[in-house]
Amino acid sequence: MNFQELDKRVLEWNEIANGHRSKEERIITQIAQCQEEMVNEALNTIFTIEKQKTSDYGIDKDILIKLLDDYADSLFVHTEYGKLTGFKWSMYYELLELIEYYCLDFFNELTMIEACQRVIESNFTKFVPVDEMTQDQAIFEAGLISGRYNCNCVPEQVNGYWVFRDENGKIRKPSTFKPVYLEDLV
């Protein structure tokens, strides 16, 4: 897989996750997501790396795993935001470039692609193919999710997948969700 193929898969995921929103809402959602999650997490990871560079113990493996995850997350946002805005400059491009700069200190491009591919596939497990779950099972799963997250979650079919959203439109993870595994790449 290469970066162009990753971009296609990211756009497919974002269409399933965010296709119910208008272009403007999608842009606002990406900006809010970046500001709340990605920027703070990525900068914290970079600051931790800089701090650990000067320590006697070196860079912690968990921080390098987090760096790969941050890179993949920022690629997700960058790709969707770019598609929606025509790739106008934003601080998110700068952030992606900064994270990429740090990644290239520790990883080669193939490792970075593999990490992104794994994050994408993990994110796709937030959706359940409709041929793997009946409507009754999806309603039951939504009840379990509602209890787990203390929210009102409902299932909906989008592009051949069951998607579980809470009352704010946030996608909630079903019991079939598989977290990303990146440890072997570090």
Side-chain angles (χ1 to χ4, degrees):
M1 190 167 270
N2 59 38
F3 283 111
Q4 288 178 332
E5 292 167 328
L6 290 174
D7 286 351
K8 286 179 189 174
R9 196 80 166 127
V10 164
L11 292 173
E12 178 186 359
W13 189 92
N14 275 300
E15 188 59 36
I16 295 166
N18 300 311
H20 65 291
R21 295 183 170 114
S22 70
K23 178 180 175 180
E24 292 75 23
E25 288 175 317
R26 288 170 86 163
I27 292 170
I28 290 168
T29 299
Q30 291 296 19
I31 291 170
Q33 177 186 359
C34 290
Q35 288 174 336
E36 292 175 17
E37 297 172 20
M38 196 179 73
V39 172
N40 290 334
E41 287 182 22
L43 291 177
N44 187 43
T45 300
I46 289 168
F47 290 141
T48 302
I49 287 171
E50 284 301 321
K51 186 176 177 182
Q52 289 183 358
K53 278 183 178 178
T54 61
S55 78
D56 294 337
Y57 303 105
I59 311 289
D60 184 66
K61 181 177 181 176
D62 289 339
I63 284 296
L64 294 177
I65 293 168
K66 181 75 175 98
L67 179 65
L68 277 174
D69 190 49
D70 289 347
Y71 177 72
D73 287 345
S74 49
L75 184 69
F76 246 84
V77 174
H78 163 81
T79 302
E80 173 74 351
Y81 187 79
K83 176 190 172 226
L84 295 171
T85 63
F87 290 95
K88 292 181 182 172
W89 178 90
S90 77
M91 68 180 231
Y92 310 116
Y93 298 133
E94 296 291 326
L95 181 63
L96 178 63
E97 287 178 352
L98 180 64
I99 296 169
E100 183 177 58
Y101 171 81
Y102 274 85
C103 275
L104 289 169
D105 274 351
F106 303 100
F107 308 106
N108 63 39
E109 190 174 283
L110 290 176
T111 300
M112 292 163 62
I113 289 172
E114 177 65 23
C116 290
Q117 184 174 348
R118 290 182 188 187
V119 168
I120 291 167
E121 295 313 314
S122 172
N123 281 344
F124 261 96
T125 67
K126 293 177 183 177
F127 311 140
V128 180
V130 294
D131 62 349
E132 293 179 13
M133 183 178 279
T134 67
Q135 184 171 0
D136 288 341
Q137 291 170 321
I139 291 168
F140 182 76
E141 182 70 29
L144 294 175
I145 294 168
S146 296
R148 186 178 329 123
Y149 291 105
N150 193 27
C151 65
N152 183 24
C153 185
V154 294
E156 62 181 88
Q157 283 189 30
V158 180
N159 296 355
Y161 292 95
W162 287 109
V163 178
F164 301 91
R165 294 186 203 283
D166 66 17
E167 58 273 7
N168 298 316
K170 180 174 175 63
I171 294 174
R172 296 299 183 161
K173 298 172 187 165
S175 58
T176 55
F177 173 74
K178 294 181 178 113
V180 67
Y181 180 77
L182 301 174
E183 285 185 39
D184 63 319
L185 298 178
V186 177

